[in-house]
């Protein structure tokens, strides 16, 4: 009789342990979903258009000769945009066309055009006593 009671008690303990394990898996899944949603919300998507100028980050090159030197190379023109963030670019220097991941290029700003700028000369006021 004592063996049957201890066997039933052991079965209940194993069932409780299984429930605790399932709750832990469920909580971990919920946490991962929330973390992924937060991460995806913070990612800024790059939108490229055909004939835009871009710079390219050479991710294979790990050694950079100078600390303050720019790590972005060339001037490229976007020639085609494919699904799943694949961008086809053309080099302005060599006219080669190749495809890159959409995360590697960034927009190239040629500078801001100055229009309708008025110049104001500021002078110290003259105080007379």
């Amino acid at each position: 009789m004592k063996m049957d009671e201890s066997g039933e008690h052991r079965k209940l303990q194993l069932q409780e342990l299984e429930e605790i394990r399932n709750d832990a898996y469920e909580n971990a899944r919920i946490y991962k979903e929330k973390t992924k949603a937060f991460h995806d919300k913070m990612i800024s998507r790059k939108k490229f258009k055909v004939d835009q100028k871009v710079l390219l980050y050479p991710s294979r090159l790990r050694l950079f000769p100078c600390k303050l030197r720019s790590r972005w190379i060339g001037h490229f023109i976007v020639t085609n945009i494919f699904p799943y963030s694949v961008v086809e670019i053309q080099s302005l220097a060599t006219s080669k066309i190749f495809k890159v991941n959409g995360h590697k290029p960034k927009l190239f700003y040629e500078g801001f055009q100055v229009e309708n700028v008025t110049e104001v000369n500021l002078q110290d006021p003259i105080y007379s006593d």
Side-chain angles (χ1 to χ4, degrees):
M1 197 76 158
K2 203 76 153 150
M3 290 293 270
D4 290 339
E5 290 177 12
S6 64
E8 289 294 321
H9 183 64
R10 182 68 179 160
K11 284 182 182 178
L12 289 175
Q13 286 179 337
L14 289 174
Q15 286 177 352
E16 286 179 20
L17 184 64
E18 188 68 27
E19 288 177 11
I20 292 171
R21 184 182 299 141
N22 289 338
D23 289 342
Y25 282 137
E26 184 66 21
N27 289 338
R29 186 185 61 79
I30 291 170
Y31 172 76
K32 286 180 183 179
E33 286 176 358
K34 286 182 180 179
T35 305
K36 182 180 180 345
F38 176 76
H39 179 266
D40 290 346
K41 184 175 71 174
M42 294 307 217
I43 292 176
S44 61
R45 305 283 183 206
K46 296 180 183 177
K47 303 283 184 189
F48 295 110
K49 297 176 184 171
V50 176
D51 293 332
Q52 275 185 330
K53 287 188 179 180
V54 293
L55 296 174
L56 185 64
Y57 183 76
S59 61
R60 290 185 182 169
L61 181 60
R62 295 288 181 203
L63 301 174
F64 295 104
C66 286
K67 184 178 4 179
L68 299 177
R69 187 173 177 181
S70 176
R71 296 183 174 150
W72 297 89
I73 58 170
H75 296 299
F76 300 94
I77 294 182
V78 176
T79 58
N80 199 355
I81 300 168
F82 297 100
Y84 304 109
S85 71
V86 176
V87 179
E88 185 177 70
I89 59 177
Q90 179 180 9
S91 172
L92 292 178
T94 61
S95 299
K96 287 186 179 179
I97 296 176
F98 50 96
K99 295 178 186 176
V100 295
N101 189 338
H103 299 289
K104 291 183 181 180
K106 75 172 181 178
L107 290 177
F108 174 71
Y109 297 105
E110 291 187 46
F112 299 103
Q113 296 181 357
V114 180
E115 295 178 4
N116 299 331
V117 175
T118 58
E119 188 174 318
V120 177
N121 292 327
L122 300 176
Q123 297 176 351
D124 290 333
I126 300 174
Y127 294 107
S128 61
D129 288 328

